Amino acid sequence: MLLLKMAAQDLLTLNARRLMVPHLAARWQHFRGTPASLTECSAWAESLVSLAGDLVAAGRGNVEMIVECAATIDDSDRPGGPRLIDVVLVGRHPEENRPSVQLVELKRWSSVTRVERATADLVYVEGMGRKAHPALQLQEYYNAFTSSRGPFHGLSIECGGFAYLHNATDESVRPLLDVGAPTGAYARIYTSDRQEQLLSDLRRFFADDGASSVAEIMMQGMGLRNTPLLDAMIWSHGADTVFTLRGRQKEVADQILETATRILPNPRRPELIPDERRVVFLVTGGAGTGKSAIGLQMKAELEAQGRTVKYASGSRAFNGAMQEHVGYGDSEFRESFTYFSSFVTPPVPPLDVLICDEAHRLRDRSTSRFWKPEQQGTGPQVDELLAASRLTVFFLDEAQSVRPNEVGTVELIEEAALRHGARLARFNLREQFRCGGSDAYIRWVRAVLGVTDETAAPWRPDGLMHIEVADTPEELERIIRTEALAGASARMVAGYCWPWTKPQGDEKRLEADVRIGDWHRPWNADSDGFCENEAPPSKIWSVHGNGLDQIGCVYTAQGLEWDWCGVIMGEDMVRRGDRWVYRRGKDRHDSEAGVKRVAVPGSFDPKVKAGSVDDDEFARLVRHAYHVLMTRASRATVLYSTDPETRAYLKKMVGEVEIHGLRPIWENLPKEARRPRLPRPRRGRKNPRKRTSGRAHDTEARLF
């Protein structure tokens, strides 16, 4: 947990725009569940800004200030709440050339008296009563922060700490400084009388460069700069040490493993009388809360125990990426990924475990126009899934339902579990690990789009996620291509606001359907094979290098992520005054080109035709589609709307975006953050999976 990550000079800029305190207060309420107190807000407005000013005055404005940071990566579940350090100053040591960290307690104390003659461990603060000496608190933080469970995982760092009392003089807080006060690297006290000493010490603690690199190492250690899901899977090739799960995620995983041990037979010693109990796990959480990470980690660990496991999804893009990009050449691995519709006939014997990712995409029935009548499902699809295994795990986010025939809800699964006599265990994930770990960004997207009832407010930069609005589609493409060519992962996506032409002719030519003025680009290929100019099929568009030349939609982007994502909003959702207006489009036949073009701008999604959904449902599905598209990036989202009034509204809600180096272009990122996507395994290469029963270790790839 942290509330803000920003260089001192940028924090002052943010404060000058009157955005800093509101942002911190909103983050505080989200994490703690209660409003930030007036005392807390005053400390941010006064002490935090004063400390940032001292860093700039010392010539150390590049030092990163991480506000209200948890002392260890597992502090979220600590009894009594996490140990939150007021400020962690992060930079590079000027002489040792290694990370340098200072833990800071912000104290607005102006007067302190001694309580006990022999010691200053306990003091009396005017207006606040008895308080422990700040060094005792800092000692606890120091011990936790520098431990193997801290953000640097025991890495050798220069670490100290101090109490910052800019409102006090030495004389007014004499007991904190006298003989008998605690001592140590974390026990320094700086008052207004000691400002020059503070400036000198800041120069001694920190170099004038390198802070962003150290902060990136710390973010990765905290799991907030995650390894992209596909990269982590390629790196491990599905081994049982793929992801390091944290907090609530680990709790869910442990419960699944423990339940599997209790109700499933030992593969090496089959039971004479099998246990017939069935269990359903229902795990809810928004985009980026680690649902897929838990599912993939559980799949690997349960397989390592000898269990029969399948990983089902309603997403062709997700399954295709896993099968083609990760499991290329490994039929066993590929076959372990399947679809919700694969269980019309239940397996005999039942699977031990069936993991159902993106369960919001469940259908009412399992059907296909390619199946014979006797192959079609006759009952609810959710019942087929429950009948297929002894232990079923559903991962679900109702805000990502984007088709009218997607019926997966909490209520649906609860009722199905009751019908099958299965015990239901529910969990909810809240902490955000996509979009740079910025839950503020996720909430902003939902509020702006009207997915939630929260009042939309202008974006407040938090140093974790970046947003900007392009004036033209050419500008959006230039930004995305520049970052992709530099080494970042990047894609362009759009609302379904243009007709979609199938590949043309024997050469499988892609028609440039997405047309905005003189700018024309094709949708990703509606094909199972490669098309002209090596355009990849839709199932691997998201991960293939040539996918940058096409525009993706919600159906090919859902469940995946990139560093940068350019999102084109079409005429299906436009801003008029203080509300959103939703439009259905109409096409016309272009006799010269022999394809359909736009006659009336709006939605061309065949899944949300007027005859299939009413206006309210249409509006909900369009909102959800843009919510999915706008939460695919891990560092930066670039928005563009074809509608001028909507574009003006987006610019108003995004606000000014340039604050020194906060724009995370590749050249601005420290080398620790420049992690190019891994290539797909070569054709014919065998990648034997590890088969061990141990849990993931801290030194392994961290995703969520």
Side-chain angles (χ1 to χ4, degrees):
M1 169 182 168
L2 59 83
L3 300 192
L4 184 73
K5 169 200 164 289
M6 199 166 286
Q9 59 193 5
D10 299 326
L11 187 144
L12 292 178
T13 302
L14 191 67
N15 182 66
R17 296 178 183 173
R18 299 184 179 180
L19 296 174
M20 185 193 72
V21 173
H23 167 80
L24 291 170
R27 292 271 287 179
W28 177 279
Q29 179 152 6
H30 173 74
F31 280 118
R32 305 304 290 269
T34 58
S37 67
L38 180 60
T39 300
E40 201 74 45
C41 292
S42 297
W44 296 329
E46 297 177 20
S47 301
L48 191 59
V49 172
S50 179
L51 179 59
D54 284 338
L55 282 161
V56 171
R60 297 299 183 262
N62 69 305
V63 169
E64 297 277 347
M65 302 180 71
I66 300 177
V67 183
E68 298 290 352
C69 173
T72 66
I73 63 172
D74 54 2
D75 253 0
S76 296
D77 297 323
R78 180 174 178 263
R83 288 167 291 209
L84 294 182
I85 307 168
D86 285 351
V87 189
V88 179
L89 303 182
V90 180
R92 183 174 60 83
H93 195 274
E95 297 176 1
E96 301 295 332
N97 196 29
R98 57 180 175 175
S100 180
V101 174
Q102 290 291 317
L103 314 178
V104 184
E105 271 292 297
L106 303 177
K107 299 296 186 186
R108 295 190 304 132
W109 302 349
S110 57
S111 175
V112 170
T113 55
R114 190 185 297 269
V115 173
E116 299 177 14
R117 184 180 298 276
T119 176
D121 285 1
L122 192 66
V123 295
Y124 181 85
V125 181
E126 185 177 353
M128 301 179 69
R130 296 188 176 196
K131 295 288 181 180
H133 192 288
L136 301 180
Q137 202 168 1
L138 285 164
Q139 181 182 29
E140 180 189 4
Y141 298 154
Y142 177 90
N143 292 337
F145 193 90
T146 56
S147 72
S148 61
R149 297 299 297 169
F152 286 92
H153 301 282
L155 181 71
S156 177
I157 63 175
E158 291 288 322
C159 186
F162 60 86
Y164 185 72
L165 289 85
H166 65 104
N167 289 329
T169 64
D170 283 2
E171 190 58 37
S172 68
V173 294
R174 180 59 60 187
L176 300 181
L177 306 166
D178 278 348
V179 175
T183 59
Y186 42 77
R188 290 184 301 276
I189 303 291
Y190 294 105
T191 67
S192 60
D193 291 338
R194 300 185 174 217
Q195 186 182 36
E196 288 304 316
Q197 181 63 51
L198 171 61
L199 301 186
S200 175
D201 286 346
L202 290 173
R203 298 183 191 104
R204 182 167 57 87
F205 297 149
F206 300 108
D208 59 4
D209 62 4
S212 60
S213 291
V214 178
E216 187 66 30
I217 294 171
M218 182 172 165
M219 293 297 102
Q220 292 173 13
M222 296 176 73
L224 295 178
R225 294 298 192 202
N226 57 63
T227 303
L229 184 142
L230 287 173
D231 283 359
M233 290 297 290
I234 293 172
W235 175 82
S236 67
H237 197 69
D240 67 321
T241 52
V242 182
F243 309 123
T244 296
L245 305 178
R246 298 175 48 208
R248 187 69 164 169
Q249 300 153 353
K250 186 174 184 298
E251 181 181 339
V252 172
D254 287 345
Q255 285 289 327
I256 294 172
L257 291 174
E258 182 183 341
T259 301
T261 301
R262 288 203 314 266
I263 73 166
L264 299 178
N266 186 325
R268 297 168 183 81
R269 294 196 305 274
E271 297 174 339
L272 295 177
I273 303 177
D275 188 337
E276 297 295 336
R277 289 178 297 171
R278 292 178 182 260
V279 178
V280 174
F281 279 85
L282 175 55
V283 184
T284 57
T289 50
K291 299 184 297 297
S292 295
I294 298 172
L296 292 167
Q297 181 67 29
M298 290 302 92
K299 173 182 180 292
E301 294 201 26
L302 290 163
E303 286 176 335
Q305 295 175 6
R307 309 292 186 188
T308 56
V309 186
K310 291 279 189 180
Y311 197 100
S313 169
S315 170
R316 192 163 177 260
F318 179 86
N319 273 11
M322 284 293 170
Q323 292 172 336
E324 298 294 324
H325 206 66
V326 180
Y328 198 81
D330 185 338
S331 59
E332 179 187 358
F333 182 82
R334 288 164 59 95
E335 290 170 3
S336 67
F337 288 87
T338 187
Y339 296 94
F340 295 151
S341 58
S342 302
F343 299 95
V344 173
T345 301
V348 179
L351 298 168
D352 289 331
V353 181
L354 177 60
I355 299 169
C356 301
D357 203 353
E358 297 197 356
H360 43 272
R361 303 191 72 172
L362 286 171
R363 307 299 198 270
D364 186 34
R365 298 282 190 276
S366 295
T367 60
S368 171
R369 57 192 174 94
F370 301 109
W371 294 353
K372 296 177 181 178
E374 62 270 20
Q375 295 175 314
Q376 308 287 341
T378 57
Q381 189 176 75
V382 67
D383 286 353
E384 296 169 358
L385 298 175
L386 290 179
S389 65
R390 294 280 310 285
L391 193 159
T392 314
V393 184
F394 293 97
F395 294 100
L396 182 146
D397 175 12
E398 293 183 6
Q400 291 195 60
S401 174
V402 296
R403 288 182 173 180
N405 60 348
E406 292 175 350
V407 299
T409 62
V410 169
E411 183 180 9
L412 177 89
I413 294 170
E414 288 177 338
E415 290 176 351
L418 185 63
R419 284 197 302 274
H420 285 255
R423 184 173 70 84
L424 180 72
R426 279 199 61 180
F427 293 88
N428 182 54
L429 304 173
R430 291 187 60 196
E431 195 167 3
Q432 177 58 232
F433 293 95
R434 189 180 283 160
C435 301
S438 177
D439 65 278
Y441 173 74
I442 300 292
R443 295 199 314 276
W444 180 86
V445 168
R446 291 178 174 175
V448 166
L449 295 177
V451 174
T452 63
D453 294 331
E454 188 174 348
T455 302
W459 168 244
R460 304 176 185 117
D462 62 0
L464 299 175
M465 188 64 186
H466 175 77
I467 324 168
E468 57 187 82
V469 180
D471 288 316
T472 64
E474 290 87 353
E475 180 186 2
L476 180 143
E477 182 175 17
R478 176 184 57 76
I479 294 169
I480 296 301
R481 282 191 178 277
T482 297
E483 293 311 303
L485 293 173
S489 59
R491 281 295 182 273
M492 293 180 287
V493 297
Y496 205 146
C497 297
W498 294 267
W500 198 317
T501 307
K502 287 185 176 294
Q504 302 287 292
D506 294 338
E507 72 278 14
K508 293 187 175 182
R509 176 181 57 83
L510 297 186
E511 179 65 30
D513 289 315
V514 181
R515 306 171 77 84
I516 306 170
D518 295 330
W519 185 84
H520 306 157
R521 293 294 179 270
W523 288 112
N524 61 255
D526 184 5
S527 169
D528 289 328
F530 282 85
C531 297
E532 187 181 45
N533 299 323
E534 288 299 298
S538 60
K539 64 183 178 181
I540 59 171
W541 162 83
S542 64
V543 293
H544 194 279
N546 291 345
L548 190 64
D549 297 325
Q550 302 93 44
I551 310 299
C553 77
V554 65
Y555 303 125
T556 45
Q558 195 165 23
L560 302 167
E561 64 177 319
W562 309 279
D563 295 330
W564 283 71
C565 186
V567 181
I568 299 172
M569 295 186 70
E571 305 280 338
D572 57 346
M573 182 173 177
V574 296
R575 194 74 180 182
R576 293 295 177 262
D578 60 353
R579 65 189 183 95
W580 289 105
V581 174
Y582 303 88
R583 297 169 165 174
R584 304 177 195 262
K586 292 183 179 180
D587 58 43
R588 62 178 177 82
H589 182 72
D590 185 328
S591 56
E592 182 178 343
V595 297
K596 293 180 179 179
R597 296 284 187 234
V598 174
V600 177
S603 172
F604 285 83
D605 189 341
K607 305 296 183 182
V608 293
K609 291 181 179 178
S612 60
V613 296
D614 62 23
D615 289 346
D616 288 343
E617 178 68 357
F618 172 72
R620 183 185 72 86
L621 294 171
V622 171
R623 284 195 302 270
H624 282 198
Y626 282 117
H627 169 248
V628 170
L629 295 178
M630 290 169 67
T631 53
R632 296 306 95 194
S634 60
R635 288 191 181 274
T637 298
V638 184
L639 301 174
Y640 169 77
S641 174
T642 58
D643 175 67
E645 189 172 338
T646 305
R647 201 158 59 245
Y649 172 72
L650 292 174
K651 285 190 172 185
K652 173 185 173 184
M653 299 310 293
V654 169
E656 299 177 68
V657 298
E658 283 294 351
I659 301 182
H660 298 289
L662 284 190
R663 191 167 183 261
I665 61 174
W666 195 257
E667 66 181 29
N668 282 353
L669 296 178
K671 60 181 178 59
E672 290 81 5
R674 300 181 185 182
R675 297 183 293 184
R677 280 289 171 92
L678 296 175
R680 183 173 71 169
R682 293 189 299 273
R683 181 183 294 274
R685 178 184 173 189
K686 292 299 289 181
N687 293 287
R689 282 173 285 161
K690 291 188 250 180
R691 291 288 186 183
T692 63
S693 59
R695 297 300 303 269
H697 300 292
D698 289 336
T699 55
E700 291 148 359
R702 287 183 178 81
L703 174 63
F704 294 101

